[in-house]
């Protein structure tokens, strides 16, 4: 059809050119050359004007190969060299797994995330091929159309016998003399699923605990670890299987960092020991990861422990209050705030200091916005048990108000939970009594009480710690292939922060570059490190050899060929550059021929 159109255009161009030179200008044989040039020029211009097209074979581009660079590709049964050789034969290789530099050519990534790489590769017109063991972490999130467009070459690893320490949970800080409880999960894979193994907890060359556990279901098993003799400071505890004799030794041990402190992290002082103080102590103990000590004054200057009501010397109470990270002061205990190094102070006045008290049924409502507002989202707070009395407080400029109260749901709203960020020290004041009934009645009110307690503790402890500096690691121990993430905890906007890392036989200097959310990452090889920030903060971190990638996991992808994305295309006349040149040359030749004939 296209050829017919071209012939018709050429015939029309030739006819118009002949009419011009033979009829209008009557040149006869002398006009043959300019006639032919004009016919060619007009034919080329006509074809360009109509934009005639014709079919052409699609151009086969070199495929883009996404190679799984996660640690599972280096596990037993999968040959990384063979996988990389296959990917190189198929096309241009791009390694996926996490957000690290794609120039890395080893299977060292701690995650198997395909979605970002597949979306980026699909934006090009090149065929996409995925070479993987099929154990993709974000497989449920993969767009079906993108996955169908890409081909998948599967190198699944065969099942093997393995027993692994899959989880370890415990407090990050304990008080000297306290026992440490670790919840350790051990799971068997393959024929090892029903085995029982021996667990051993060590620090350095010292063995702290040993226990026989079952590997049947992987449920956490509590292991009591005595800490007598551990000096104050950071201790890396290694939980390992004894003589596991399995196919993957890299899953046989885990690391847990615990800090032994001479004083507890959270201290609750109640004077008197009313119901609000008791329920608050229990809630903090349940939701906080730090060790909690509670003391109550029952008569005179005699203090007792909230744990067992044993008599405690006043000097011990003063020392605990002075060294606590978070100090909770109920009633007349507010004087203990003087001289404390706590970075969080939670005051709960109830008239013992001569404050005005307003009794009645004070129904509570959430404030407009506060750092703890999430605890009350979707909850009918105004239907909870009312406070029995309040102490009038006046928020200062810059303070936030989390809860307000109205007497019998009428009259002015009075603030009863006020927070203040003073830089190094954060303060929260609760000017109401009777909120313990929220926890006592259970249901939604109890959940809100616990959530509010957890959010308040978290906010109070988020202030800058002079011992830890302007930033601190979100997790002190990370899995192999995962980054250490530091969060900015000082006031003001985050700034680049130099850090010195010492460990694993070498010293490394790096710079923490914080993003808009106040977080910075550092990628480190397996080992134990001591870090020191440029502003003086320091601590211990570790990258353990264990990774979830070593564990046998379900294959979530299936091998298939890519769906064709290029249908036969057509080439239009305006894509032919030579046709423009032909029209220009023909017009130029006609002009020269007319000049020789003495024509314009």
């Amino acid at each position: 059809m296209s050829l017919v159109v071209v012939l018709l255009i050429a015939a029309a161009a030739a006819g118009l050119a002949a009419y011009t030179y033979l009829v209008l200008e009557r040149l006869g044989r002398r006009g043959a050359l300019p006639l032919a040039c004009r016919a060619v020029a007009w034919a080329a211009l006509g074809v360009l004007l109509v934009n005639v097209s014709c079919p052409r074979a699609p151009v086969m581009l070199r495929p883009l190969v996404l190679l799984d660079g996660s640690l599972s590709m280096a596990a037993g049964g999968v040959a990384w060299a063979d996988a990389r050789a296959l990917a190189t034969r198929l096309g241009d290789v791009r390694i996926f797994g996490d957000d690290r530099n794609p120039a890395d050519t080893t299977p060292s990534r701690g995650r198997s995330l395909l979605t970002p790489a597949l979306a980026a590769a699909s934006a090009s017109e090149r065929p996409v091929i995925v070479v993987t063991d099929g154990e993709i972490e974000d497989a449920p999130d993969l767009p079906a159309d993108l996955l169908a467009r890409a081909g998948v070459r599967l190198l699944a690893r065969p099942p093997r016998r393995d027993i692994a320490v899959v989880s370890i949970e415990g407090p990050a800080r304990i008080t000297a003399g306290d026992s440490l409880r670790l919840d350790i999960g051990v799971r068997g894979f393959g024929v090892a699923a029903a085995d029982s193994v021996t667990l051993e907890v060590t620090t350095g060359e010292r063995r702290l605990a040993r226990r026989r556990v079952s590997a049947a279901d992987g449920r956490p098993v509590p292991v009591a670890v005595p800490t007598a003799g551990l000096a104050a400071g950071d201790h890396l505890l290694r939980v390992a299987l004894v003589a596991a004799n399995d196919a993957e030794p890299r899953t046989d041990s885990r690391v847990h960092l615990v800090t032994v402190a001479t004083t507890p992290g959270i201290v609750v002082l109640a004077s008197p020991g009313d119901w609000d103080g008791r329920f608050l102590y229990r809630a903090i103990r349940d939701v906080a990861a730090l060790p909690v000590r509670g003391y109550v004054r029952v008569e005179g200057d005699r203090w007792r422990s909230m744990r067992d009501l044993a008599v405690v010397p006043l000097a011990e109470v003063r020392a605990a209050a002075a060294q606590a990270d978070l100090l909770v002061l109920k009633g007349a205990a507010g004087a203990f705030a003087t001289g404390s190094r706590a970075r969080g102070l939670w005051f709960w006045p109830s008239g013992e200091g001569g404050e005005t008290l307003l009794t009645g049924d004070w129904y509570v409502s959430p404030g407009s916005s506060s750092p703890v507002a999430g605890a009350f989202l979707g909850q009918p707070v105004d239907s909870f048990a009312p406070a029995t009395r309040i102490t009038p407080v006046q928020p200062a400029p810059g303070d936030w108000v989390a809860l307000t109260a109205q007497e019998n749901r009428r009259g002015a709203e009075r603030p009863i939970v006020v927070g203040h960020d003073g830089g190094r020290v954060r303060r929260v004041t609760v000017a109401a009594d009777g909120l313990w009934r929220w926890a006592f009645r259970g249901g939604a009110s109890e959940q809100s009480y616990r959530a509010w307690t957890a959010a308040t503790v978290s906010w109070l402890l988020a202030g800058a710690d002079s011992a830890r500096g302007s930033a601190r690691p979100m997790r002190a121990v990370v899995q192999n292939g995962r980054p250490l993430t530091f969060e900015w905890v000082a006031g003001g906007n985050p700034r680049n922060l130099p850090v010195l890392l010492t460990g694993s036989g070498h010293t490394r200097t790096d710079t923490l570059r914080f993003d808009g959310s106040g977080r910075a990452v550092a990628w480190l090889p397996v080992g134990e490190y001591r870090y020191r920030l440029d502003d003086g903060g320091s601590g211990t971190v570790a990258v353990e050899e264990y990774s979830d990638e070593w564990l046998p996991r379900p294959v979530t992808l299936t091998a298939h060929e890519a769906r064709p994305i290029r249908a036969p295309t057509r080439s239009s006349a305006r894509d032919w550059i030579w046709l423009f040149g032909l029209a220009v040359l023909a017009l130029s030749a006609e002009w020269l021929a007319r000049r020789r004939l003495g024509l314009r």
Side-chain angles (χ1 to χ4, degrees):
M1 184 65 181
S2 299
L3 180 60
V4 174
V5 174
V6 171
L7 293 176
L8 290 176
I9 293 174
L16 290 174
Y19 178 78
T20 301
Y21 282 98
L22 299 180
V23 177
L24 297 181
E25 296 187 354
R26 298 180 181 181
L27 294 179
R29 292 183 178 180
R30 292 189 307 150
L33 181 58
L35 186 153
C37 292
R38 177 169 291 190
V40 172
W42 282 5
L45 292 174
V47 171
L48 290 172
L49 182 64
V50 178
N51 197 24
V52 178
S53 63
C54 62
R56 66 177 179 184
V59 178
M60 298 305 296
L61 301 177
R62 183 169 172 79
L64 193 60
V65 182
L66 302 181
L67 175 60
D68 190 350
S70 62
L71 288 168
S72 63
M73 295 292 288
V78 178
W80 169 254
D82 295 342
R84 184 162 181 83
L86 172 62
T88 303
R89 290 196 305 270
L90 293 176
D92 296 331
V93 179
R94 301 291 185 272
I95 296 180
F96 72 90
D98 53 32
D99 55 357
R100 265 185 288 181
N101 188 342
D104 189 6
T105 58
T106 59
S108 58
R109 300 167 189 254
R111 305 189 70 179
S112 301
L113 301 177
L114 176 58
T115 301
L118 184 60
S122 300
S124 68
E125 296 183 354
R126 301 170 64 178
V128 179
I129 302 175
V130 180
V131 177
T132 177
D133 57 4
E135 300 174 11
I136 300 301
E137 182 178 338
D138 59 347
D141 300 326
L142 288 172
D145 56 337
L146 296 185
L147 188 58
R149 172 183 164 180
V152 176
R153 301 289 189 274
L154 204 59
L155 302 174
R157 52 176 168 172
R160 301 191 305 163
R161 179 184 185 276
D162 185 29
I163 304 177
V165 183
V166 294
S167 65
I168 174 172
E169 296 181 359
R173 173 173 168 170
I174 61 173
T175 306
D178 288 352
S179 61
L180 171 65
R181 168 177 162 158
L182 297 178
D183 293 325
I184 303 171
V186 178
R187 183 180 176 188
F189 299 88
V191 296
D195 288 359
S196 61
V197 293
T198 300
L199 273 178
E200 193 172 79
V201 182
T202 60
T203 175
E205 300 297 327
R206 179 182 175 186
R207 187 174 72 187
L208 300 177
R210 188 182 179 99
R211 178 173 176 178
R212 192 78 176 173
V213 299
S214 172
D217 51 17
R219 288 185 298 180
V221 176
V223 177
V225 181
T227 60
L230 290 183
D234 295 336
H235 296 271
L236 283 169
L237 307 182
R238 184 170 299 277
V239 179
L241 302 177
V242 179
N245 297 322
D246 58 4
E248 184 53 79
R250 290 170 291 192
T251 63
D252 294 349
S253 66
R254 301 294 300 271
V255 176
H256 179 74
L257 177 68
V258 62
T259 300
V260 178
T262 56
T263 56
I266 302 177
V267 174
V268 180
L269 302 181
S271 176
D274 57 9
W275 289 106
D276 277 306
R278 297 177 187 179
F279 275 86
L280 181 62
Y281 167 71
R282 294 175 184 175
I284 293 177
R285 189 180 57 185
D286 290 342
V287 302
L290 293 176
V292 182
R293 291 285 179 86
Y295 303 96
V296 56
R297 182 160 57 185
V298 291
E299 68 275 346
D301 286 337
R302 178 173 293 184
W303 290 83
R304 294 181 180 270
S305 170
M306 285 188 175
R307 182 177 58 182
D308 54 11
L309 294 181
V311 177
V312 178
L314 178 60
E316 179 180 331
V317 177
R318 291 189 183 277
Q323 299 298 320
D325 291 319
L326 170 58
L327 186 57
V328 183
L329 302 168
K330 178 69 174 72
F336 285 89
T338 304
S340 175
R341 72 169 184 84
R343 64 181 187 270
L345 294 174
W346 192 346
F347 294 99
W348 203 304
S350 53
E352 289 78 8
E355 302 93 347
T356 302
L357 293 177
L358 302 177
T359 60
D361 289 335
W362 294 90
Y363 289 87
V364 179
S365 298
S368 57
S369 62
S370 71
V372 299
F376 309 112
L377 288 177
Q379 299 292 347
V381 179
D382 58 349
S383 298
F384 293 168
T388 56
R389 61 182 182 178
I390 69 170
T391 301
V393 294
Q394 184 62 41
D399 290 358
W400 50 262
V401 177
L403 294 174
T404 60
Q406 285 181 301
E407 186 175 12
N408 297 321
R409 296 193 176 95
R410 295 190 298 271
E413 293 186 346
R414 296 178 179 269
I416 60 170
V417 176
V418 179
H420 173 75
D421 188 354
R424 194 193 74 82
V425 180
R426 291 183 171 185
R427 293 177 172 83
V428 170
T429 300
V430 179
D433 286 337
L435 297 183
W436 64 270
R437 295 188 294 177
W438 290 12
F440 180 76
R441 294 190 176 185
S445 63
E446 181 187 15
Q447 296 304 316
S448 290
Y449 185 87
R450 290 170 60 89
W452 167 56
T453 301
T456 304
V457 169
S458 177
W459 184 81
L460 287 170
L461 289 173
D465 186 352
S466 58
R468 299 296 182 182
S470 300
R472 63 186 176 195
M474 299 184 66
R475 292 183 62 90
V477 179
V478 296
Q479 296 181 17
N480 188 2
R482 300 286 185 92
L484 280 166
T485 303
F486 288 80
E487 62 176 347
W488 183 267
V489 295
N493 295 325
R495 57 180 175 83
N496 293 343
L497 194 61
V499 58
L500 179 67
L501 295 157
T502 305
S504 299
H506 67 278
T507 299
R508 169 182 171 182
T509 301
D510 204 343
T511 301
L512 300 177
R513 305 182 186 278
F514 295 89
D515 57 18
S517 62
R519 295 181 178 180
V521 298
W523 298 92
L524 299 174
V526 173
E528 302 171 4
Y529 302 88
R530 183 74 183 174
Y531 74 87
R532 178 171 293 278
L533 302 176
D534 188 54
D535 62 358
S538 61
T540 302
V541 293
V543 180
E544 57 184 350
E545 189 175 23
Y546 171 89
S547 172
D548 289 339
E549 290 288 328
W550 301 130
L551 302 178
R553 295 186 296 176
V555 176
T556 53
L557 290 186
T558 57
H560 64 268
E561 295 298 325
R563 185 180 64 193
I565 60 173
R566 280 187 167 272
T569 58
R570 299 185 68 84
S571 176
S572 64
R574 293 174 188 174
D575 294 332
W576 305 335
I577 302 300
W578 61 268
L579 197 57
F580 291 91
L582 179 62
V584 173
L585 289 176
L587 291 174
S588 300
E590 181 191 6
W591 180 79
L592 290 175
R594 289 178 63 87
R595 295 290 292 177
R596 287 182 175 274
L597 294 175
L599 301 174
R600 293 184 177 181

